[in-house]
Amino acid sequence: MLAMGSEEWELYPSSYIGPQVIEYRPISEDSDDDWNGDAAVSMDAVLPDDLLEKVLSLLPVASIIRSGSVCKRWHEIVHAQRHTWSKMVPQKPWYFMFTCSEEAVSGFAFDPSLRKWYGFDFPCIEKSNWSTSSSAGLVCLMDSENRRRIMVCNPITKDWKRLLDAPGGKTADYSALAFSVDRSSHQYTVAVARSNQVPSEYYQWEFTIHLYESVTGNWVTPFTGVLLGWRGGDECVICDGVLYYLVYSTGVLVNNNEHRHCLVMYDLAARPNHTSLMSMAIPVPCALTCGRLMNLSGRLVLVGGIGKQDRPGIIKGIGIWELNSKEWREVARMPHKFFQGFGEFDDVFASCGADDLIYIQSYGSPALLTFEINQKLWKWSVKSPVSKRFPLQLFTGFSFEPRLDIAS
């Protein structure tokens, strides 16, 4: 079995002292005995604020936060208004991992830039089975017990708000959440897709899309239709103004040779209220045990568990595909040594990402694998501080981009 990596992980607990400010505990590091503190202070004194801000903006976000403990002046700059950090260098997405339990959600966040784990108390989220979707520094969360209850937060600053209750009932047979933030205006769109079985009709499923726009602060329901032989699920994503939603065959009206998953699309700009989604559906590239959709810098990517040919419900590997002009292009397949490295891998698993980085995690293990899609590079994260304490313990997680300049 492949080892997850030999690097030692370091844990930096964090505490928040306000809705817009994060402060990390100062870290003891090796220092040079000949270091001259007076010279450092003198050099700092000649740097104007705008130049110091520009220098700090080139650092990883965790380093920016830690620099706030250097002195009062640096603390004030780090905790300045958000527009100060609007020109930060792009940050690789962090991965928040936690164990599934009925207790309050707290876990650890992995920083791929510094390859370190941080103790992390995630704001808002109360249960591990809440739906999540992230974009451009914000995370959207939907209560699993009350699907009308939706929140948006910045995990780094802990700024958050609860949106107006979404339309429809508190529960649905299947619900999916998608979230998209405009990087220029910081306005965002929330999409909730719901699927309910039509009473006494096994092969008919009502499908509804609800949209929230932060610019108006209101919900609309642009589409309601019926799927025949297909039902919704919990996987959708917004990419380039289009909502992509993974639907599942009910086993009725579908040829046995066809795949059990399809991708349907809905144009959020045009918002047609009378259209046949299945007439434009795109079959998945092969038989999948599960599929995870993600938006990687405007590219729609599917990470799926590849089913065995004779038993499509049993996973034999993991593939990654990109959608180009309604055709799937295979990007990579997980090498068998990494697949084995998870130990026993479930037919369903967690996977998400942003920019050019994809995370993959088995629900039964705290091991975390990354894939850099541009370099086609597979790599284990540093060993997670999350430990498995009993055989049936489950783990989950999701990614988000760490940013200081955006509010809910």
Side-chain angles (χ1 to χ4, degrees):
M1 183 179 298
L2 188 72
M4 256 55 80
S6 58
E7 301 96 334
E8 292 292 330
W9 61 268
E10 298 181 44
L11 177 59
Y12 300 146
S14 60
S15 61
Y16 297 82
I17 57 176
Q20 302 177 14
V21 178
I22 175 174
E23 183 175 289
Y24 277 61
R25 188 173 66 188
I27 300 166
S28 175
E29 297 180 348
D30 294 336
S31 60
D32 190 340
D33 292 337
D34 296 328
W35 179 74
N36 189 322
D38 293 337
V41 172
S42 177
M43 184 179 296
D44 170 65
V46 301
L47 283 176
D49 286 356
D50 58 345
L51 182 56
L52 181 56
E53 291 169 2
K54 185 172 183 179
V55 172
L56 293 178
S57 70
L58 300 176
L59 299 176
V61 69
S63 299
I64 295 175
I65 295 167
R66 294 207 306 265
S67 68
S69 62
V70 170
C71 63
K72 180 179 180 180
R73 180 186 177 216
W74 285 36
H75 181 275
E76 291 174 349
I77 290 176
V78 169
H79 297 157
Q81 297 298 318
R82 291 189 184 91
H83 65 78
T84 301
W85 306 111
S86 61
K87 295 183 180 180
M88 285 176 57
V89 295
Q91 303 283 321
K92 287 186 176 295
W94 289 13
Y95 189 84
F96 177 62
M97 181 187 294
F98 54 101
T99 186
C100 299
S101 71
E102 293 298 318
E103 301 175 358
V105 174
S106 63
F108 299 86
F110 176 66
D111 176 356
S113 298
L114 299 178
R115 292 186 59 76
K116 297 184 184 298
W117 290 91
Y118 308 112
F120 207 84
D121 292 325
F122 206 93
C124 305
I125 188 169
E126 298 170 6
K127 296 289 183 66
S128 59
N129 59 349
W130 279 26
S131 300
T132 63
S133 182
S134 67
S135 175
L138 295 180
V139 178
C140 187
L141 309 108
M142 180 166 63
D143 189 337
S144 58
E145 296 178 358
N146 179 2
R147 298 292 182 175
R148 302 184 64 190
R149 185 171 173 235
I150 296 175
M151 302 179 187
V152 174
C153 74
N154 181 326
I156 296 297
T157 66
K158 281 203 167 181
D159 170 84
W160 66 277
K161 68 182 293 185
R162 178 176 174 178
L163 305 184
L164 292 176
D165 284 358
K170 292 184 177 181
T171 61
D173 292 335
Y174 297 94
S175 295
L177 177 70
F179 185 58
S180 179
V181 178
D182 184 287
R183 289 184 177 273
S184 299
S185 66
H186 292 178
Q187 299 294 338
Y188 53 81
T189 300
V190 179
V192 176
R194 301 188 179 194
S195 182
N196 287 293
Q197 186 176 9
V198 176
S200 303
E201 296 289 349
Y202 175 74
Y203 61 92
Q204 293 187 18
W205 288 77
E206 184 183 57
F207 176 56
T208 305
I209 298 173
H210 305 294
L211 296 178
Y212 176 90
E213 299 282 0
S214 63
V215 69
T216 64
N218 294 315
W219 288 92
V220 295
T221 305
F223 181 84
T224 299
V226 174
L227 303 178
L228 299 178
W230 298 85
R231 65 161 178 83
D234 59 1
E235 195 67 29
C236 68
V237 69
I238 297 173
C239 187
D240 197 23
V242 176
L243 176 67
Y244 293 90
Y245 186 53
L246 204 60
V247 296
Y248 303 77
S249 168
T250 60
V252 180
L253 306 178
V254 177
N255 190 301
N256 289 332
N257 295 323
E258 296 181 5
H259 300 319
R260 298 296 178 177
H261 300 76
C262 269
L263 189 69
V264 298
M265 303 173 292
Y266 183 78
D267 190 329
L268 297 180
R271 299 186 183 181
N273 54 12
H274 297 290
T275 185
S276 174
L277 298 181
M278 294 309 302
S279 66
M280 300 178 291
I282 302 171
V284 296
C286 64
L288 299 180
T289 61
C290 76
R292 304 299 181 213
L293 300 172
M294 58 199 74
N295 179 349
L296 301 188
S297 300
R299 303 155 66 183
L300 180 70
V301 173
L302 168 67
V303 179
I306 303 172
K308 294 183 177 181
Q309 186 171 2
D310 56 337
R311 301 175 66 188
I314 305 298
I315 192 170
K316 70 174 183 179
I318 292 178
I320 300 175
W321 298 267
E322 179 182 350
L323 188 66
N324 284 326
S325 301
K326 299 184 179 181
E327 296 288 339
W328 293 107
R329 178 182 66 85
E330 184 171 309
V331 175
R333 294 204 180 194
M334 182 185 294
H336 192 60
K337 64 179 181 179
F338 288 105
F339 186 73
Q340 286 185 314
F342 283 101
E344 185 176 349
F345 206 97
D346 295 329
D347 298 330
V348 294
F349 54 88
S351 183
C352 53
D355 191 22
D356 70 338
L357 189 63
I358 296 174
Y359 290 102
I360 299 175
Q361 180 194 358
S362 168
Y363 290 128
S365 167
L368 181 64
L369 183 65
T370 66
F371 177 71
E372 295 184 28
I373 194 169
N374 292 334
Q375 300 182 34
K376 293 184 170 53
L377 177 64
W378 299 91
K379 184 187 297 183
W380 292 108
S381 75
V382 181
K383 184 179 179 182
S384 168
V386 182
S387 59
K388 189 162 187 172
R389 299 180 179 179
F390 52 90
L392 297 181
Q393 185 176 6
L394 298 178
F395 307 86
T396 188
F398 53 87
S399 64
F400 64 92
E401 183 182 344
R403 296 195 66 87
L404 298 170
D405 63 326
I406 188 167
S408 59

